[in-house]
Amino acid sequence: MPYKVAFVSLGCAKNLVNTEQMMALVKAAGHTVTADAEGADVAVLNTCGFIDSAKSEAIQNILELAALKQAGKLGKLLVAGCLSQRYQNELMQEMPEVDGVLGTGSYTEIVSALEEVISGGTPRRFGDIDHTEEDGERLVSTPPYTAYLKIAEGCDNRCSYCIIPYLRGRYRSRTMESLLAEARQLADSGVQELIVIAQDITRYGTDLYGRRRLGDLLTELCKLPFHWVRLHYLYPDEVDDALIDVIAREHKILNYIDIPLQHINDGILKAMNRRSTKAEIIALLQKLRERLPGLVLRTSLICGLPGEGEAEFEELCDFLRESGIERAGIFQFSPEEGTPAATMPNQVDPDTAARRVELLVDLQSRVMDAFNESRLGGTLEVLCEGFDPEMGCYVGRSYADSPDVDGKVFFTAGGLVSAGSFVNVHITGTSDGDLTGEIEE
């Protein structure tokens, strides 16, 4: 018999794609898929387990769904994803509210796991994380004009602070044929903004084809009727001139690059097991800015890795001021069990690390404010995301704004503007990190 199955997805966009794959499998099996857990026969929570804050969010969501079960408003609870993979034995022992678990190697077993849990069983599925099926159908859950294309799974970079290779397995690219077939489906459905994602897109193809083939893939994607192609995430040591040439040549690829740097001090970079030096990073950013006019850079930075003293932190602050990186996510080092960095000597006091995060966030906000001020009086192409009743105007994003992580553009218009359309907006003001303006008729 058909069941009502609710899906809740936490964490990154890569995790969301896995949720969309599970949703498609469940729908194909004849069940009803919903985003509302209240009244569902089963809720599937796809978790992140990357750092402490992600684990806390996952546990909070489990407790909220458990409260629905307790009140008789939810039947069963399945927990999938990274938290399940990481705590295979502990999760159900410590949280008896959970009725079953699926690891990151078992997303495609969702239908049989549902049937087992409905029948009163307690499924525990932990398949091979190095060999997973990534080419299945998806029930795309993003707005109809935006979609993600996950081109690879896993990671081989083995940064000393990162647990992801232990949760997601080795790096494995999807074939060009499967990716282009999926991209055609997305384009045919009306997607205007394609966001190319993987833990490291720059490594794409090395395992399948013996060489980097991201440039080849992007060239083919740009032949499809997308308006924007956005890139997440490029590792600095893998960005070569050939790839930059493709980004510069293909006008659909946005001059917005998410390139995780994590730090700038050579000693800290080495301790992180990163392969770039400070000099190489600065040279790369300079080359990118020269080749890509109006480039907006996004990065992630970590404060408080073991061995980071005041001098190393000041060096990071100076770099952020001088480089003018427009978008930066600042994170406090989280000593994740099972990673080399968790047992390194010279651990930084958490309060000190937290203070450094606050200082760097404040510094970055000033960089961002200066960038927004530089936009005043200009015109930006904006992807409209609809009308915001709270603000009393339309809202959208420019090429400089990736969904959910960057700013917005709020604008007025004389007539109706449909979500998913592109409009030119004259920028007249700034507001709390966002831009304001009026449509150019």
Side-chain angles (χ1 to χ4, degrees):
M1 62 177 288
Y3 302 110
K4 185 177 181 182
V5 185
F7 282 87
V8 180
S9 192
L10 306 178
C12 65
K14 300 181 292 295
N15 215 37
L16 177 63
V17 171
N18 290 129
T19 302
E20 292 173 343
Q21 291 169 325
M22 289 193 289
M23 290 163 60
L25 289 167
V26 168
K27 185 177 180 183
H31 304 300
T32 300
V33 171
T34 178
D36 187 3
E38 188 167 333
D41 297 298
V42 183
V44 181
L45 177 66
N46 194 15
T47 60
C48 178
F50 179 37
I51 54 177
D52 281 342
S53 58
K55 288 182 280 188
S56 297
E57 182 187 24
I59 291 168
Q60 181 61 36
N61 273 266
I62 291 172
L63 294 174
E64 289 172 3
L65 292 169
L68 282 180
K69 275 183 63 181
Q70 183 87 19
K73 298 178 180 178
L74 171 65
K76 301 285 187 176
L77 172 57
L78 268 176
V79 178
C82 289
L83 192 77
S84 297
Q85 185 67 37
R86 190 166 184 183
Y87 301 107
Q88 298 182 15
N89 299 318
E90 300 94 327
L91 191 59
M92 291 184 71
Q93 291 173 2
E94 297 182 14
M95 305 195 79
E97 303 91 345
V98 176
D99 299 299
V101 287
L102 282 79
T104 57
S106 296
Y107 287 120
T108 52
E109 298 176 43
I110 180 63
V111 173
S112 61
L114 284 174
E115 292 169 353
E116 184 178 350
V117 78
I118 286 287
S119 301
T122 53
R124 298 171 185 248
R125 310 290 178 89
F126 294 97
D128 184 355
I129 63 172
D130 289 322
H131 300 87
T132 53
E133 174 56 54
E134 301 296 332
D135 295 339
E137 294 293 317
R138 293 162 54 195
L139 194 60
V140 178
S141 58
T142 45
Y145 46 82
T146 295
Y148 296 99
L149 182 69
K150 186 163 77 165
I151 66 173
E153 179 57 280
C155 187
D156 288 344
N157 287 313
R158 299 283 173 175
C159 299
S160 66
Y161 51 84
C162 184
I163 196 69
I164 286 175
Y166 307 95
L167 303 180
R168 291 282 181 171
R170 62 175 178 80
Y171 191 88
R172 49 208 188 275
S173 305
R174 295 175 58 194
T175 65
M176 291 265 287
E177 292 77 15
S178 68
L179 289 169
L180 292 174
E182 183 175 335
R184 288 188 197 99
Q185 286 183 332
L186 293 171
D188 290 345
S189 72
V191 169
Q192 293 294 303
E193 178 186 37
L194 186 74
I195 307 176
V196 178
I197 58 168
Q199 194 63 31
D200 175 2
I201 64 172
T202 32
R203 190 182 287 268
Y204 173 75
T206 53
D207 56 318
L208 275 184
Y209 306 112
R211 62 185 178 90
R212 294 192 293 257
R213 294 201 63 188
L214 178 62
D216 297 338
L217 175 63
L218 293 176
T219 299
E220 294 303 311
L221 290 174
C222 287
K223 294 176 182 177
L224 299 174
F226 300 113
H227 192 83
W228 283 353
V229 175
R230 192 182 293 277
L231 308 181
H232 288 258
Y233 307 89
L234 293 89
Y235 272 60
D237 54 292
E238 300 278 347
V239 178
D240 57 18
D241 288 338
L243 178 58
I244 298 173
D245 287 343
V246 172
I247 298 172
R249 181 184 72 234
E250 298 290 349
H251 71 274
K252 290 183 180 181
I253 302 177
L254 298 178
N255 285 359
Y256 171 106
I257 290 181
D258 192 321
I259 184 164
L261 300 175
Q262 311 304 2
H263 215 280
I264 198 61
N265 172 264
D266 281 334
I268 299 298
L269 288 169
K270 186 175 182 180
M272 288 178 162
N273 198 32
R274 304 285 288 184
R275 295 184 296 274
S276 299
T277 65
K278 176 181 182 178
E280 289 167 343
I281 289 171
I282 290 173
L284 173 62
L285 298 189
Q286 182 177 349
K287 180 187 290 186
L288 288 170
R289 292 214 188 267
E290 289 171 353
R291 294 294 313 280
L292 306 173
L295 175 67
V296 169
L297 287 167
R298 165 165 274 283
T299 196
S300 52
L301 301 169
I302 296 174
C303 294
L305 194 94
E308 183 192 67
E310 290 299 324
E312 290 80 7
F313 175 65
E314 281 301 323
E315 189 176 352
L316 183 59
C317 291
D318 290 342
F319 167 72
L320 201 54
R321 288 189 198 95
E322 293 162 7
S323 64
I325 289 175
E326 292 83 2
R327 313 285 194 225
I330 316 296
F331 301 94
Q332 181 175 341
F333 169 68
S334 179
E336 297 301 315
E337 65 268 26
T339 63
T343 56
M344 284 179 178
N346 302 314
Q347 296 278 328
V348 176
D349 175 70
D351 290 340
T352 299
R355 177 183 59 83
R356 290 175 182 171
V357 169
E358 290 179 5
L359 291 170
L360 212 57
V361 166
D362 183 61
L363 172 57
Q364 173 59 23
S365 68
R366 293 199 294 272
V367 173
M368 188 177 69
D369 287 345
F371 170 69
N372 282 346
E373 292 286 341
S374 73
R375 296 308 215 198
L376 293 175
T379 299
L380 288 174
E381 183 182 46
V382 171
L383 170 57
C384 179
E385 296 185 306
F387 189 82
D388 187 322
E390 192 173 310
M391 296 292 289
C393 63
Y394 290 96
V395 62
R397 293 181 287 107
S398 75
Y399 81 97
D401 307 305
S402 201
D404 302 324
V405 293
D406 295 321
K408 300 281 190 180
V409 180
F410 295 93
F411 63 95
T412 56
L416 293 175
V417 183
S418 59
S421 61
F422 288 87
V423 294
N424 291 322
V425 175
H426 178 68
I427 304 303
T428 58
T430 65
S431 174
D432 294 328
D434 298 316
L435 296 173
T436 59
E438 52 196 26
I439 196 170
E440 290 190 345
E441 303 295 345

